Amino acid sequence: LLPLESGMWWALLLVLGGAWAAVETVEPKGYEAFLAAAAEEEQWVLLDFFAPWCGHCKRLNPVLDTFAAVRPTARVGKVDATKHKALAKEHGVSGYPSLRFRAAGEAKFRDYKGARDAQALERLDDRLRSPAVQTAIDVSVDPYVAFAVAPTAAPETWEVFEAVAIDRRHEASFARSASVADDGVYLVDGDGTYRYEGELEFSRLKKWVKKHNVRLWNDPLGPSTFRKVGDSRLVAAVVLDPDAPNTTLAAEVAAALPGLRERLAGGVLDGVRWSDYVATFGVDASGLPCLIVIDLPGDKFWLNDHAAPAAFLAAVLDGRLSPKYHGIRGFPDRALRFYATHRLQVFAGLLALLLLVSLTIYFSKPPPDHPKTDYHMLPDETSLAPSCRGRGRGRGRGHGRSGDRFPRTPRGLLLAIAHPRLSSGRTCSPFHKMSPPVYDD
């Protein structure tokens, strides 16, 4: 039999009863009525702020349609954020799609930051319909982790734990379970039990729960989990080709993480599916498998150069390895990596650029304010232009009647460099030492 919390039971009941919940279009004038209807039916509310042109929004539509149909405990609405900007601003929407929700009986909306698939939304529905602290959690069927206290926990421990559970029940699982015997707050997952050692205070425990609300090792390491780990810890990503997996590397990294969980978590990243992202680390298909430690807030990373995984991770955490960077700080390193792998293209590009500059100079014409005539050196002018020596009789030594053919401007200097011999046979040297003209008697 299907478990009672399964969405299939809801779907069956809806079909048999002839009912079919749908995603509603919400506009400002009907916003309060939409919320009032949800409160009357004791439903929690999920709002999707979208843009009509957004591809991600369009892909989310069938997920929301299915979810609304199988989970009538939720009231789902869609708001065109490009049309109803005031309502979107009220909810602090800055990107599309943005999902916001509020639990039944509450007035506060929260941002939904979990995975945007049917399974994740159904898990959210289960949590919002259940008590904040449950009596037991089977972590073997929950892809996330559980936070637990013993049934005999001290009153001060229980008070803080329950307050955090009520505040974070939408994204984490909490239990008062006999699986832990001693007083204190514990993290329980597939990797074992880990005790909270910090000060038993609401904000500190809440921060610890948020940090550890993801498995220590994740296979596969998807975008949602990747961001969740990277918000508060370094990500140890084993990048593999799914057609040629290296289970040894993944196993060695997973075995090294339990003692480093406060600073590291990780998993397996599909190097083919996410090849464009992996390429930003200078890794292509020929470099797989590989181990990368990524600091998302710091925009930097460490790439393992065939060292033992445990030794490499320890060196990163101890600061014995220098990171490489993304963004502007990483430009020199990326340029060197590109040169190392694309020497031929770099040289071809430089030659093409040099040829383009030469042709531009060769075919350039003097500016309009300089007529296409010979330039004469007047007696009161200082000799600032290139010296031209001609064969004919001139007005001055080194400055013939057809003297300087190019204007005395930066552009003229470039033209003189590009054309050292004039059509009249005179030789121009732009680097010739000039002297004031000397006139014959």
Side-chain angles (χ1 to χ4, degrees), residues 56-105:
H56 294 291
C57 301
K58 295 175 182 177
R59 286 190 288 273
L60 182 61
N61 286 338
V63 175
L64 295 178
D65 290 338
T66 302
F67 173 71
V70 300
R71 294 295 176 113
T73 49
R75 199 173 196 91
V76 185
K78 294 177 65 67
V79 181
D80 185 343
T82 63
K83 183 179 179 181
H84 308 302
K85 296 181 180 179
L87 185 56
K89 185 178 180 180
E90 180 183 334
H91 281 265
V93 173
S94 58
Y96 314 114
S98 289
L99 293 179
R100 302 264 294 164
F101 73 94
R102 83 173 188 188

Side-chain angles (χ1 to χ4, degrees), residues 181-239:
D182 299 330
D183 186 37
V185 179
Y186 292 85
L187 161 68
V188 183
D189 63 8
D191 302 302
T193 302
Y194 181 67
R195 192 176 192 273
Y196 170 65
E197 299 294 346
E199 179 184 353
L200 196 60
E201 188 266 334
F202 176 81
S203 60
R204 292 179 181 272
L205 181 59
K206 175 181 172 180
K207 183 178 180 180
W208 184 79
V209 166
K210 182 178 180 181
K211 177 179 180 178
H212 292 280
N213 188 34
V214 62
R215 283 192 185 276
L216 187 62
W217 182 253
N218 302 272
D219 186 4
L221 188 60
S224 177
T225 306
F226 188 90
R227 289 192 301 270
K228 188 175 290 187
V229 173
D231 282 343
S232 55
R233 287 180 283 182
L234 299 178
V235 182
V238 175
V239 188

Side-chain angles (χ1 to χ4, degrees), residues 112-130:
Y112 174 72
K113 298 181 180 180
R116 295 174 181 181
D117 55 43
Q119 182 183 9
L121 291 176
E122 289 176 12
R123 185 184 302 114
L124 174 63
D125 179 62
D126 291 338
R127 285 174 171 162
L128 293 179
R129 290 189 298 108
S130 304

Side-chain angles (χ1 to χ4, degrees), residues 254-318:
L257 290 181
L260 308 172
R261 71 164 65 234
E262 284 293 338
R263 300 181 63 186
L264 269 172
V268 175
L269 189 65
D270 188 333
V272 176
R273 182 180 180 185
W274 308 109
S275 58
D276 290 343
Y277 178 67
V278 173
T280 64
F281 302 100
V283 176
D284 56 19
S286 63
L288 301 182
C290 69
L291 170 59
I292 310 173
V293 174
I294 306 164
D295 180 353
L296 285 180
D299 209 16
K300 55 188 176 182
F301 65 95
W302 296 260
L303 182 62
N304 186 17
D305 295 327
H306 308 295
F312 169 70
L313 295 177
V316 169
L317 297 180
D318 293 344

